[in-house]
Amino acid sequence: MNIDVNKALVKRYLKMWNTGDVTIADEVLSPKWMDHAHPEVIGTKSVKQAVLKVREVYPEFRITIESILSEGDLVAVRGIVERESTSRVMWFVRIEDGKMKEMWTGSEM
């Protein structure tokens, strides 16, 4: 596994949330995508719908990466999420066959 390729993959996913360009979903996500923080969002179609809904409700929505680390098939990201308020969030993403397979999310209090 190439850790730089894995980090670039996750950065593209976060870019999708910042821009609303949902075509990125098919390029970076496994068809069996699972977000453990949002188990109702499974697969690329659900992700596309979620991105468009968030961008509609919060047009100023923005994710800024503070740090990103990768080892093996895992990528860890610490970032700032801005919408009506600002929060710090951490994501742990597992990569499989060159695509994001699953993600865990935690927020800082």
Side-chain angles (χ1 to χ4, degrees), residues 2 32 35 38 59 75 90 95:
N2 184 320
K32 297 179 181 178
D35 180 344
H38 303 281
V75 178
M90 292 193 67
I95 310 296

Side-chain angles (χ1 to χ4, degrees), residues 36-103:
H36 294 279
H38 303 281
E40 72 282 3
V41 180
I42 299 172
T44 58
K45 183 178 179 182
S46 292
V47 172
K48 291 175 185 179
Q49 292 170 344
V51 169
L52 294 174
K53 183 175 181 180
V54 166
R55 300 291 311 163
E56 180 181 330
V57 175
Y58 304 106
E60 73 286 355
F61 183 88
R62 179 98 182 130
I63 297 172
T64 303
I65 296 172
E66 291 186 305
S67 57
I68 185 166
L69 303 167
S70 182
E71 184 173 328
D73 66 347
L74 291 175
V75 178
V77 180
R78 181 175 187 246
I80 298 172
V81 176
E82 299 173 73
R83 50 178 183 250
E84 290 178 332
S85 61
T86 301
S87 58
R88 284 201 156 75
V89 178
M90 292 193 67
W91 297 276
F92 296 92
V93 180
R94 188 169 68 81
I95 310 296
E96 183 178 277
D97 297 325
K99 294 202 175 190
M100 295 173 57
K101 174 73 185 254
E102 57 187 327
M103 180 169 68

Side-chain angles (χ1 to χ4, degrees), residues 5-51:
V5 170
N6 289 350
K7 288 193 291 189
L9 190 68
V10 174
K11 287 178 181 179
R12 289 194 68 219
Y13 171 79
L14 296 176
K15 178 182 177 183
M16 174 182 66
W17 284 92
N18 287 340
T19 64
D21 179 4
V22 295
T23 62
I24 293 172
D26 294 318
E27 299 168 14
V28 300
L29 297 176
S30 164
K32 297 179 181 178
W33 167 252
M34 168 69 98
D35 180 344
H36 294 279
H38 303 281
E40 72 282 3
V41 180
I42 299 172
T44 58
K45 183 178 179 182
S46 292
V47 172
K48 291 175 185 179
Q49 292 170 344
V51 169

